């Protein structure tokens, strides 16, 4: 029997609860619940807002530092007209690397002229210190206001030239001459200067050190230095390394790879001159023998000791270091010993060995040798005349003859360049 006869569902009536809640009481309960949840701090595995704030602070600090540095550089440029490039340059001597040009608007635009009769010089042109560039096919280009030059190569971009100055009491200089006529000085007061074949790097002697830097646009960047012996000079680039002759009066070279430490202790003591590079990377050079009056040709491995792998001791060679290897590595143009008849020689490197022979190629060479292809080469003789060598004709017993470059003023020596 049910305790509560009045209900069939077996539930007690219990105390009666009022479900009537006023709106202000409900709103207060919700506010209290939300306030408790907001007050509870829960750690986040990733804090995007914090990361963004920290990144912004770092960028602001870097921009502030960069702005201060640029302001300092601008102050120096405005006050001195030039700035020393990099911390690598010595501080106890005259500045070596400079950038900028005092007044580019006053620079004359280089003019190219087609070979023909030389123009009659006037009083104004006689006052210009100009240099005439000559291509292998005889075209001329006059560069003004760069001073006496010794060697010229096209810029990596092809829109101008790197000009190495002739030695003077103040040292050598390196200029950039752009197509639009702007002339900028990159180096001043330097020792020997050598350029990479593609003009992307330059090495030079500065006091007791040897330096190397990259050429980017019209600036030198990333200079690296190392101490070198008193008489050592850079000779040429071999890949990314610099071939250094320890003493111009004696045999011996080494290879310095910038960024890999100082000049190596393992040195070659036989090589006299290096004329060029074969397609496989090996070098063609001149080495000394036990007879002080006799030298030999050799193929050298591009290591620090320049170990010879093949030698030919037939021709009587000059030790002036002038020579050039054809692009395919087959031929070498080199000067004969001046005590002989005095002429250039063509050597077949494929037949280099005991009793190697050479055939007369033309008058003695000076300056650069430009190979247009594997069988055509050009150079200047001692009088500044252009000599064009055809390998086929030379091998047939017809040495090349010099020809005057039309349009070059009397007493001015042109410079042979490639690529214009």
């Amino acid at each position: 029997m049910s305790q509560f006869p009045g209900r069939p569902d077996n539930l007690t009536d219990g105390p009666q609860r009022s479900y009537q809640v006023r709106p202000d009481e409900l709103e207060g309960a919700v506010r209290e619940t939300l306030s408790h949840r907001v007050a509870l701090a829960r750690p986040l595995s990733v804090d995007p807002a914090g990361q963004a704030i920290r990144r912004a602070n770092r960028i602001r600090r870097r921009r502030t530092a960069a702005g201060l540095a640029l302001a300092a550089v601008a102050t120096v440029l405005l006050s001195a007209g030039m700035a020393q490039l990099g911390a690598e340059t010595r501080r106890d001597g005259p500045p070596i690397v400079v950038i900028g040009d005092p007044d580019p608007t006053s620079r004359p635009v280089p003019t190219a002229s087609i070979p023909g009769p030389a123009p009659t010089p006037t009083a104004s042109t006689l006052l210009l210190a100009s240099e005439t560039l000559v291509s292998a096919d005889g075209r001329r280009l006059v560069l003004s206001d760069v001073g006496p030059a010794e060697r010229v190569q096209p810029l990596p971009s092809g829109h101008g030239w790197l000009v190495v100055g002739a030695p003077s009491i103040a040292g050598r200089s390196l200029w950039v001459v752009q197509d639009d006529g702007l002339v900028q000085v990159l180096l001043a007061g330097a020792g020997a200067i050598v350029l990479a074949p593609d003009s992307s790097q330059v090495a030079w002697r500065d006091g007791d050190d040897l330096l190397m830097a990259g050429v980017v646009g019209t600036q030198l960047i990333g200079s690296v230095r190392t101490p070198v012996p008193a008489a050592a000079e850079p000779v040429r680039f071999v890949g990314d390394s610099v071939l250094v002759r320890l003493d111009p009066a004696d045999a011996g070279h080494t290879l310095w790879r910038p960024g890999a430490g100082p000049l190596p202790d393992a040195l070659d003591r036989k090589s006299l001159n290096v004329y060029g590079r074969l397609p496989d990377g090996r070098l063609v050079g001149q080495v000394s023998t036990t007879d002080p009056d006799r030298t030999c040709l050799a193929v050298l491995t591009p290591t620090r000791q320049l170990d010879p792998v093949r030698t030919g001791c037939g021709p009587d060679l000059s030790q002036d270091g002038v020579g050039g290897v054809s692009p395919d590595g087959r031929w070498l143009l080199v000067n004969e010993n001046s005590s002989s008849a005095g002429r250039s020689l063509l050597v077949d490197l494929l037949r280099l060995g005991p009793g190697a022979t050479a055939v007369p190629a033309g008058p003695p060479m000076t300056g650069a040798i430009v190979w247009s292809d594997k069988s055509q080469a050009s150079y200047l003789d001692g009088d500044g005349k252009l000599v064009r060598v055809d390998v086929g004709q030379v091998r047939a017993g017809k040495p090349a003859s010099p020809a005057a470059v039309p349009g070059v003023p009397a007493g001015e020596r042109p410079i042979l360049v490639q690529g214009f």
Side-chain angles (χ1 to χ4, degrees):
M1 178 180 295
S2 171
Q3 255 181 332
F4 305 97
R7 292 185 60 88
D9 54 4
N10 200 30
L11 295 176
T12 61
D13 292 334
Q16 297 295 321
R17 172 183 286 181
S18 174
Y19 289 96
Q20 298 295 324
V21 180
R22 297 192 306 273
D24 57 341
E25 291 180 350
L26 180 60
E27 181 179 351
V30 172
R31 288 180 180 276
E32 183 178 0
T33 301
L34 292 178
S35 66
H36 283 303
R37 290 192 176 184
V38 171
L40 181 60
R42 297 182 179 179
L44 295 176
S45 58
V46 179
D47 185 9
Q51 290 179 352
I53 293 173
R54 289 191 294 271
R55 188 181 303 112
N57 289 334
R58 287 196 299 270
I59 294 174
R60 185 170 58 253
R61 287 194 296 268
R62 284 198 298 266
R63 288 180 176 176
T64 301
L68 293 175
L70 289 175
V73 171
T75 303
V76 174
L77 288 173
L78 291 174
S79 61
M82 60 182 64
Q84 192 171 351
L85 178 65
E88 294 290 340
T89 305
R90 298 177 61 88
R91 302 181 181 275
D92 55 353
I96 295 297
V97 183
V98 294
I99 58 175
D101 188 67
D103 186 9
T105 60
S106 66
R107 298 294 188 187
V109 177
T111 57
S113 57
I114 301 174
T120 302
T122 62
S124 59
T125 59
L126 290 177
L127 296 177
L128 294 176
S130 63
E131 289 292 342
T132 301
L133 309 184
V134 179
S135 67
D137 57 4
R139 289 183 300 154
R140 295 186 299 113
L141 184 74
V142 179
L143 302 180
S144 301
D145 289 358
V146 296
E150 183 178 67
R151 189 167 61 260
V152 179
Q153 288 186 191
L155 284 171
S157 63
H159 299 297
W161 298 269
L162 283 175
V163 182
V164 178
S168 66
I169 299 178
R172 295 178 186 266
S173 299
L174 177 65
W175 298 279
V176 168
V177 180
Q178 299 184 66
D179 286 344
D180 58 3
L182 178 64
V183 178
Q184 292 178 276
V185 181
L186 295 184
L187 293 174
I193 300 175
V194 296
L195 304 174
D198 60 357
S199 300
S200 63
Q201 295 174 304
V202 57
W204 70 98
R205 178 73 189 253
D206 173 18
D208 297 330
D209 295 338
L210 174 65
L211 290 90
M212 190 281 291
V215 180
V216 177
T218 58
Q219 296 185 10
L220 301 182
I221 65 169
S223 59
V224 182
R225 71 166 63 230
T226 186
V228 292
E233 291 184 348
V235 175
R236 64 168 60 235
F237 275 85
V238 179
D240 292 329
S241 299
V242 181
L243 183 69
V244 182
R245 185 161 185 175
L246 304 177
D247 189 343
D250 199 1
H253 290 82
T254 189
L255 284 172
W256 173 55
R257 185 174 181 84
L263 212 65
D265 295 330
L267 306 175
D268 155 69
R269 294 295 182 183
K270 292 184 178 181
S271 60
L272 292 167
N273 297 292
V274 175
Y275 301 119
R277 193 178 185 185
L278 299 176
D280 61 7
R282 294 179 298 174
L283 308 175
V284 177
Q286 181 186 28
V287 295
S288 61
T289 66
T290 55
D291 183 354
D293 296 326
R294 184 174 177 80
T295 64
C296 296
L297 290 174
V299 175
L300 310 170
T301 55
T303 60
R304 292 175 177 178
Q305 292 184 315
L306 299 181
D307 299 316
V309 294
R310 259 194 312 143
T311 306
C313 299
D316 185 16
L317 304 178
S318 169
Q319 297 187 26
D320 59 7
V322 179
V325 179
S326 62
D328 61 353
R330 172 72 184 273
W331 306 104
L332 167 68
L333 277 174
V334 64
N335 278 338
E336 191 176 26
N337 195 330
S338 58
S339 63
S340 303
R343 54 192 177 179
S344 62
L345 301 175
L346 181 68
V347 181
D348 187 350
L349 295 177
L350 291 184
R351 299 182 179 180
L352 187 62
T357 59
V359 295
M365 304 177 293
T366 61
I369 298 152
V370 174
W371 285 88
S372 303
D373 53 43
K374 62 183 181 180
S375 61
Q376 303 284 334
S378 302
Y379 64 87
L380 298 175
D381 68 359
D383 297 326
K385 296 180 179 181
L386 183 63
V387 182
R388 298 174 182 171
V389 176
D390 182 276
V391 171
Q393 293 184 2
V394 167
R395 296 183 67 193
K398 300 178 181 179
S401 300
V405 179
V408 176
E412 182 173 308
R413 180 177 178 81
I415 299 173
L416 187 64
V417 297
Q418 186 174 20
F420 82 86

